[in-house]
Amino acid sequence: MSQIKIYASAETIDLHRQSLSDAIHRALVEQLQYPTNKKFQRFIRLNRQDFIYPPDRSASYLIIEISMFSGRSKLTKKALIQSIFNNIKILCGINPFDVEITIFETPQENWGIRGQNADELMLDYKVDV
């Protein structure tokens, strides 16, 4: 399970929403062996006055937060991050310098999904990749 939050200016999200969605999801599918039909994303559109960041970032600056089950290897998480950077550069034309990614890992027993604790669900994908 992965829940994705994408924070950016309203203009950046309006311009790149679909390509950002595709870039991030493609990386999850490729690097985490995540099912293609499992897409959970939230775009948070921020007004310029509500989005403060360093002056060396461009107007395309964005923050991606990934909440997911714990269990992936360090190498897999590094590959995921690099894949997101690469996909966003290719699909959106946004420089990786303008992208920040944070992964938050939580044990499955701390998630509730479809009325059950996630550690009791039968998943159609592996977590230990």
Side-chain angles (χ1 to χ4, degrees):
M1 180 67 159
S2 296
Q3 294 279 345
I4 314 298
K5 294 179 193 172
I6 302 100
Y7 299 87
S9 70
E11 295 81 13
T12 297
I13 289 175
D14 291 346
L15 182 62
H16 297 290
R17 182 186 332 268
Q18 188 59 54
S19 54
L20 281 168
S21 175
D22 293 344
I24 295 165
H25 193 64
R26 183 179 298 173
L28 289 168
V29 170
E30 291 171 355
Q31 302 305 324
L32 301 186
Q33 301 169 16
Y34 203 64
T36 57
N37 65 331
K38 303 277 187 184
K39 187 186 277 192
F40 300 96
Q41 301 173 344
R42 285 162 281 170
F43 286 86
I44 296 95
R45 299 169 77 250
L46 298 167
N47 294 322
R48 180 64 183 113
Q49 68 269 21
D50 295 326
F51 196 29
I52 300 168
Y53 52 85
D56 62 345
R57 303 310 194 279
S58 82
S60 295
Y61 176 72
L62 58 101
I63 299 169
I64 300 168
E65 294 181 352
I66 303 169
S67 296
M68 65 183 190
F69 295 153
S70 53
R72 277 77 177 202
S73 73
K74 182 177 177 178
L75 289 175
T76 297
K77 291 180 280 190
K78 286 181 156 211
L80 173 63
I81 288 170
Q82 288 303 311
S83 184
I84 292 171
F85 283 143
N86 292 336
N87 290 350
I88 288 175
K89 183 176 183 180
I90 292 166
L91 296 177
C92 306
I94 297 174
N95 188 315
F97 189 78
D98 285 325
V99 180
E100 294 191 15
I101 303 166
T102 307
I103 296 174
F104 299 94
E105 293 183 287
T106 310
Q108 285 180 266
E109 65 268 14
N110 290 0
W111 288 66
I113 303 169
R114 298 186 308 250
Q116 296 183 330
N117 288 75
D119 63 337
E120 297 172 3
L121 288 174
M122 296 297 297
L123 300 174
D124 57 354
Y125 57 93
K126 295 183 344 181
V127 175
D128 59 341
V129 294

